[in-house]
Amino acid sequence: MNAINQVAIFGGSHGNELTGVFLVKKFQQQPNLITRQSFQTSALLGNIKAIAEGRRYIEKDLNRCFYGQNHQDDKIVTYEELRAKEIQEILFPHNQPGVDAIIDLHTTTANMGLSVILGNLHPFLLQLAAYLSSINPLVKVYYHPQPKYSGYLRSLCDLGIVIEVGAVAQNILDADLFLHTEQLIYAILDYFELYNQHKLSNHVSSFTLYKFLGTIDYPRNDSGDIQAMIHPQLKFRDFEPLQPGKPIFLTFDGKEIFYTGEDTVYPVFINEAAYYEKGIAMHISQKQLIKLD
Ligand SMILES: [Zn+2]
């Protein structure tokens, strides 16, 4: 791969996830914090209207609106689709080189700690994930495959990375998570710098990756109303093993509902507030040891 020349850091792709919003504002006021010698870094706010209103989005989830430049203009009807087009034009101006890497900052109400989400397994991203896992054992790497231009901001370029931290409520700042996120951003920028200067050493040979397998919805009635809650024994157990037969939901009458899959899985995004409307109670993933050459 060639050198990394341009990097974009995004906060507030979801307007009620304050860690990213305030980190980006900090970087805009103190650009020296994200300045590295061998490449340019910009810090941008995503969903500006939603940030002002303290909501995830106004009409449509912005982080499902990035379909690349070929998306037809006549399909753009919502504020978020318009904002996605503007962002794509900033990141990839016509007849000019676009950004090489995107770092998209998110928070979750699930107990995902300090997570990095990859949308593809580009060898550079695997090396970066291994490096981040090695310098901070708290870092978890989650692989949620997203083809290019699949709607997610990170899908606009090969080196798209999400930092997802939690648990933190929507519209709340948590100082520990803020500091962890900030340090992780600097670690990624430093890695890019070392890469550009051909100074990467301490080769890491393996790391743990959690690979998306699917989603589980809440039990619902015919009208779509939720009929059960996340089971207390599963609550906050993101990235921990869930064995077949273990309880995952508790109905309002106290009846337990059990996991019926055949294999042990590793749930993430358990009880994410923003996913109730998406029909997702949790993602389930598979734990893998990735060996690098
Ligand atoms: Zn988010």
Side-chain angles (χ1 to χ4, degrees), residues 219 227-228 231 245-251 255-260:
Q227 300 297 298
H231 195 283
K246 293 286 183 191
I248 52 173
F249 296 115
L250 189 68
T251 70
K255 185 171 158 275
E256 293 183 312
I257 297 174
F258 302 95
Y259 177 58
T260 55

Side-chain angles (χ1 to χ4, degrees), residues 14 17 56 106-107:
H14 295 133
E17 297 177 1
R56 181 176 176 91
H106 289 259
T107 60

Side-chain angles (χ1 to χ4, degrees), residues 185-205:
I185 294 165
Y186 299 150
I188 294 170
L189 296 177
D190 292 342
Y191 184 87
F192 291 162
E193 179 75 358
L194 290 170
Y195 173 82
N196 280 352
Q197 300 191 355
H198 307 285
K199 284 184 184 163
L200 276 177
S201 55
N202 295 340
H203 186 73
V204 185
S205 60

Side-chain angles (χ1 to χ4, degrees), residues 13-14 16-17 56 61 63 105-108 164 272 275:
S13 295
H14 295 133
N16 55 10
E17 297 177 1
R56 181 176 176 91
D61 191 332
N63 203 28
L105 309 177
H106 289 259
T107 60
T108 171
E164 185 80 72
E272 161 56 43
Y275 287 177

